[in-house]
């Protein structure tokens, strides 16, 4: 394990710049250098220079691994970490494109407790060991009043989901105030539990300004919340850190990544999902959306597997974060997700549950049946022969 920070970048140099000069320009810009020779650089400063560890051709550009001395980082200050590994380099004129692919932090720069619950803690709450969890999003994403929101949640819970979450745009609007919505949903989930015996988590969206978010979480917990949700990109990474480190926040934190596409989608420029995943785990996210291999959002399967591994592989003693696959899923896509991503995952379906021809409860049953089929080593088509809800879902959406 390195004692310094190692960041991996893809880049395309400008036509008049060699790849070696471009890689060095990144290392200099993010450590001790600037655009010209300066008279204030003393010899002792040189120990803080960035270093180019490797440089290889890749596609239309190059991949380089850079070493940043740990001493230039303030331990525990993630905004400062990002100012180095993902700072001014994106605007360098000598680069036509540059993308941060990954970053490895030494143990000295990971003084964080990480997730309070993590994947195994959430499994204990639900009572599972190895099967994938099935979740849903309240749909339509905005517009329902608290009573109807709770009714949708009840039907999903009766159908067998493990998790129900607000969509990313629903917080505390006048048409569906958070207090009223939360209490209504939790009452209906209690009713469902009395019928099924199963615990269901409800991730109420508490996204707000950073200096209010812990208080909002505490208030939600006082009203009965068993999970809270944060939009981490729009709220900021340290808002997540504040939630996870607050002793009063005694429930899991579900992390949504809305707005990430503006940063992650371009394969040549921006920041890949993997550094974001690492930071979310370090700062205490118990669940994080990372994407699907077959849904409506664009993803590279190899990248996605690596992103999920960043959440679940051993890392400085932190508990694993539960990856969430969401965006355009339905029962016919479940096998592809589990085959490619494994069963330590939450399969999150909105339209793929609520759009079922027989309604939300049937849609939830169909998603669970598709997951059960995979765990039994049976195709969805075969399993559907004596599981009507799954059969109806496959009739509507197929298996792609």
């Amino acid at each position: 394990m390195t004692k310094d920070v190692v960041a991996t970048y893809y880049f395309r140099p400008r036509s008049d710049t060699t790849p070696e000069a471009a890689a060095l320009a990144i290392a200099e810009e993010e450590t001790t250098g600037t655009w010209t020779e300066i008279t204030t650089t003393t010899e002792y400063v040189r120990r803080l220079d960035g270093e180019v560890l490797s440089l290889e051709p890749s596609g239309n550009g190059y991949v380089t691994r850079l070493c940043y001395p740990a001493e230039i980082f303030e331990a525990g200050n993630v905004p400062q970490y990002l100012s180095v590994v993902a700072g001014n380099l994106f605007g360098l004129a000598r680069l036509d494109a540059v993308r941060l692919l990954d970053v490895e932090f030494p143990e000295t720069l990971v003084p964080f407790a990480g997730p309070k619950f993590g994947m195994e803690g959430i499994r204990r709450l639900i009572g599972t060991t190895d099967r994938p969890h099935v979740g849903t999003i309240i749909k339509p994403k905005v517009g329902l009043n608290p009573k109807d929101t709770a009714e949708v949640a009840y039907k999903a819970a009766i159908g067998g989901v493990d998790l129900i979450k607000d969509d990313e745009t629903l917080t505390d609007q006048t048409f569906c105030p958070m207090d009223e919505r939360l209490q209504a949903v939790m009452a209906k989930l209690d009713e469902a539990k009395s019928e099924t015996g199963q615990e269901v988590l409800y991730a109420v969206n508490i996204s707000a300004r950073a200096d209010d978010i812990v208080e909002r979480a505490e208030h939600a917990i006082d009203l009965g919340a068993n999970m809270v949700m944060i939009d981490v990109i729009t709220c900021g990474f340290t808002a997540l850190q504040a939630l996870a480190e607050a002793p009063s926040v005694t429930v899991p934190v579900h992390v949504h990544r809305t707005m990430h596409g503006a940063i992650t989608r371009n394969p040549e420029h921006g920041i890949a999902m993997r550094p974001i995943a690492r930071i979310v785990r370090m700062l205490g996210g118990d669940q994080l959306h990372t994407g699907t291999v077959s849904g409506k959002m664009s993803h590279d399967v190899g990248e996605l597997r690596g992103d999920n591994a960043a959440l679940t592989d051993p890392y400085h003693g932190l508990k694993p974060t539960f990856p969430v696959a969401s965006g355009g899923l339905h029962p016919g896509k479940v096998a592809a997700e589990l085959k490619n991503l494994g069963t330590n995952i939450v399969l999150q379906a909105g339209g793929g549950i609520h759009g079922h021809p027989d309604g939300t409860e049937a849609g939830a049953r169909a998603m669970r049946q598709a997951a059960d089929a995979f765990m039994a080593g049976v195709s969805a088509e075969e399993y559907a022969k004596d599981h009507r809800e799954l059969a109806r879902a496959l009739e509507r959406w197929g298996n792609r």
Side-chain angles (χ1 to χ4, degrees):
M1 186 67 69
T2 179
K3 65 181 179 64
D4 294 312
V5 174
V6 177
T8 304
Y9 301 91
Y10 167 89
F11 70 90
R12 277 192 295 108
R14 196 173 62 185
S15 59
D16 63 353
T17 303
T18 67
E20 293 80 9
L24 185 59
I26 298 172
E28 290 178 341
E29 176 64 32
E30 298 308 326
T31 55
T32 62
T34 186
W35 64 274
T36 188
E37 292 294 324
I38 55 177
T39 61
T40 51
T41 297
T42 57
E43 196 55 39
Y44 69 82
V45 171
R46 294 297 183 191
R47 77 187 188 284
L48 301 180
D49 287 353
E51 179 185 358
V52 179
L53 298 178
S54 64
L55 177 64
E56 300 290 340
S58 178
N60 295 322
Y62 299 85
V63 169
T64 186
R65 294 175 70 246
L66 304 183
C67 176
Y68 299 123
E71 193 177 348
I72 67 173
F73 295 87
E74 179 189 348
N77 186 343
V78 165
Q80 190 271 336
Y81 292 6
L82 289 170
S83 75
V84 177
V85 301
N88 286 344
L89 65 99
F90 294 110
L92 286 174
R94 284 184 279 181
L95 302 175
D96 283 342
V98 58
R99 188 181 195 224
L100 174 62
L101 301 178
D102 199 0
V103 59
E104 303 164 48
F105 293 103
E107 188 171 3
T108 55
L109 294 179
V110 187
F112 310 105
K116 285 180 181 173
F117 291 81
M119 181 166 59
E120 295 307 319
I122 290 174
R123 283 195 177 282
R124 283 193 294 272
L125 290 175
I126 300 299
T128 63
T129 54
D130 58 352
R131 72 162 174 86
H133 282 195
V134 172
T136 193
I137 312 100
I138 299 295
K139 296 290 184 180
K141 63 167 58 182
V142 291
L144 294 178
N145 62 36
K147 180 178 181 295
D148 288 342
T149 297
E151 189 60 30
V152 171
Y154 169 79
K155 290 176 180 177
I158 290 294
V161 302
D162 306 293
L163 166 68
I164 297 164
K165 63 173 284 293
D166 289 336
D167 221 320
E168 71 277 3
T169 58
L170 181 63
T171 53
D172 192 23
Q173 294 96 316
T174 56
F175 61 82
C176 196
M178 188 189 80
D179 289 11
E180 188 179 347
R181 176 176 82 250
L182 172 58
Q183 291 176 93
V185 168
M186 295 309 297
K188 292 300 284 188
L189 292 186
D190 285 345
E191 184 179 335
K193 185 177 180 180
S194 71
E195 298 175 37
T196 66
Q198 295 300 306
E199 184 76 21
V200 176
L201 298 174
Y202 170 46
V204 59
N205 189 0
I206 58 163
S207 297
R209 51 189 282 175
D211 57 345
D212 285 344
I213 202 163
V214 171
E215 183 178 349
R216 187 173 284 202
E218 292 169 343
H219 179 64
I221 292 166
D222 287 343
L223 293 179
N226 60 9
M227 177 178 266
V228 294
M229 168 181 150
I230 178 176
D231 296 330
V232 72
I233 304 294
T234 57
C235 289
F237 290 111
T238 52
L240 168 62
Q241 183 178 5
L243 281 175
E245 292 182 355
S248 55
V249 179
T250 54
V251 299
V253 180
H254 178 97
V255 181
H256 198 285
R257 58 178 185 159
T258 188
M259 205 174 79
H260 80 94
I263 304 166
T264 65
R265 184 171 185 178
N266 189 327
E268 292 197 325
H269 192 80
I271 303 173
M273 188 62 200
R274 196 158 312 160
I276 295 172
R278 291 198 190 280
I279 290 169
V280 165
R281 182 180 183 184
M282 287 176 2
L283 295 186
D286 293 293
Q287 293 182 327
L288 172 66
H289 292 239
T290 54
T292 68
V293 299
S294 64
K296 68 181 182 180
M297 302 296 185
S298 174
H299 279 98
D300 176 274
V301 175
E303 275 200 23
L304 182 50
R305 286 174 178 157
D307 299 342
N308 287 358
L311 294 178
T312 58
D313 284 354
Y315 191 67
H316 297 308
L318 302 179
K319 293 175 183 175
T321 295
F322 216 157
V324 179
S326 65
L329 288 187
H330 60 71
K333 292 180 178 290
V334 164
E337 297 299 315
L338 300 180
K339 180 179 179 180
N340 282 283
L341 303 178
T343 58
N344 276 324
I345 200 159
V346 181
L347 299 167
Q348 192 87 25
I353 283 180
H354 307 301
H356 192 283
D358 299 321
T360 293
E361 181 180 339
R365 292 187 189 281
M367 280 293 292
R368 278 293 304 270
Q369 289 163 7
D372 291 345
F374 183 88
M375 296 299 289
V378 178
S379 72
E381 291 78 10
E382 183 66 25
Y383 206 73
K385 290 179 180 178
D386 54 3
H387 292 84
R388 184 176 184 276
E389 294 88 354
L390 180 56
R392 293 275 283 162
L394 295 180
E395 288 172 7
R396 175 153 195 180
W397 292 301
N399 62 356
R400 293 184 181 179

